[in-house]
Amino acid sequence: MDIAALSMSLSQMKVAQEASVSVMKLAMDTAQGQMQDLTKIMEQSVNPNLGTIIDIKG
């Protein structure tokens, strides 16, 4: 393999790696946003008084 072909091959690998990292960052940002939304939904659904008083009279 000559130097020019090696250089092109390395350049293509670098571009592929940068694209892979960009996709991974996008996926991580999306997951983080979804976790924040899920946390907000869970915080809103919590009712600390629910279940503390049970009416057992028929």
Side-chain angles (χ1 to χ4, degrees), residues 1 5-6 10-11 13-14 17 19 22 27 31 36 41 49 52:
M1 183 180 286
L6 181 61
L10 289 174
S11 178
M13 288 174 48
K14 182 179 177 184
Q17 183 179 17
S22 294
Q36 289 174 349
I41 290 171
N49 296 323
T52 56

Side-chain angles (χ1 to χ4, degrees), residues 2-21:
D2 62 351
I3 301 241
L6 181 61
S7 175
M8 285 180 43
S9 177
L10 289 174
S11 178
Q12 289 174 348
M13 288 174 48
K14 182 179 177 184
V15 169
Q17 183 179 17
E18 288 175 357
S20 177
V21 169

Side-chain angles (χ1 to χ4, degrees), residues 33-46:
Q34 289 175 343
M35 277 306 278
Q36 289 174 349
D37 292 343
L38 181 61
T39 302
K40 286 179 186 177
I41 290 171
M42 290 178 68
E43 286 174 350
Q44 291 173 352
S45 69
V46 173

